[in-house]
Amino acid sequence: NDGAEVVIVDNLCNSCEESVKRIKELAGDKSDKVTYREVDLLDAAALESLFQKFRFDAVIHFAGLKAVGESVSKPLLYYHNNITSTLYLLDTMARH
């Protein structure tokens, strides 16, 4: 969509800013329509601030821990990160 703007939200716990740079490169001449914000979805206040700053028509949620070995040894960390962050996101979306 020519008018679409994309906001990438990531806490970079499992990634790096190079990934954001590559996404902007893939966007080519539309790279100015790609914005990045370093936000942890577990930070409800930061998430609220983000939704106050931007108007979202759609959200695609890819954030989540996914290392199988670590998830077996630290299941509560994974449950907390993946489920709680999703609930915070959904709750914030519902308010906006």
Side-chain angles (χ1 to χ4, degrees):
N1 185 339
D2 285 336
E5 294 185 27
V6 174
V7 180
I8 300 168
V9 179
D10 197 330
N11 68 0
L12 300 179
C13 77
N14 235 358
S15 186
C16 64
E17 286 195 46
E18 181 64 26
S19 300
V20 175
K21 180 181 171 195
R22 289 180 183 165
I23 291 169
K24 287 187 174 197
E25 288 172 359
L26 288 170
D29 64 346
K30 301 213 188 302
S31 64
D32 61 325
K33 300 283 188 182
V34 179
T35 302
Y36 166 69
R37 293 292 185 263
E38 187 170 347
V39 172
D40 187 336
L41 296 184
L42 288 171
D43 184 343
L47 196 54
E48 180 64 30
S49 177
L50 183 77
F51 271 75
Q52 288 174 357
K53 182 173 178 77
F54 297 97
R55 181 181 170 275
F56 297 99
D57 294 320
V59 174
I60 301 173
H61 176 28
F62 291 120
L65 299 176
K66 59 196 176 304
V68 175
E70 186 180 57
S71 71
V72 171
S73 65
K74 300 177 182 177
L76 294 180
L77 170 71
Y78 276 66
Y79 293 147
H80 176 65
N81 184 82
N82 296 352
I83 294 172
T84 305
S85 65
T86 299
L87 292 172
Y88 283 176
L89 176 61
L90 292 172
D91 185 50
T92 304
M93 289 168 58
R95 285 195 311 276
H96 291 268

